[in-house]
Amino acid sequence: MESRVAIIGIIVEEESSVEELNQILHEYGSYIIGRMGIPYPKKDINIISIAVDAPQNMISALSGKLGSLQGISSKAAYSKV
């Protein structure tokens, strides 16, 4: 299956879900190109950006699992390449 490059944007509003979030990211670690996390204390949230290279169904599954966590929002943006 052909792989796609994408960015998954994650907003963490509930710190209690971070351990589970990290566990899911670890499961998909072989597809992750890089990760950047930015704490935003003014709004009491964390912003995470994950660059991935994976089949589209894997990216959708990862984004969906992350978004189903309590207090976590996620959205994937795909490259055209």
Side-chain angles (χ1 to χ4, degrees), residues 10-26:
I10 305 165
I11 305 291
V12 179
E13 296 175 345
E14 287 193 28
E15 200 169 315
S16 61
S17 295
V18 170
E19 186 175 335
E20 196 171 356
L21 179 143
N22 284 325
Q23 187 174 16
I24 292 169
L25 292 178
H26 180 73

Side-chain angles (χ1 to χ4, degrees), residues 21-63:
L21 179 143
N22 284 325
Q23 187 174 16
I24 292 169
L25 292 178
H26 180 73
E27 290 174 27
Y28 288 82
S30 62
Y31 300 108
I32 295 174
I33 301 167
R35 171 181 176 169
M36 177 179 61
I38 304 168
Y40 191 38
K42 182 178 176 182
K43 297 284 185 176
D44 196 29
I45 62 171
N46 291 288
I47 304 159
I48 302 171
S49 175
I50 308 289
V52 295
D53 184 356
Q56 185 165 347
N57 63 335
M58 295 297 267
I59 297 169
S60 295
L62 172 56
S63 184

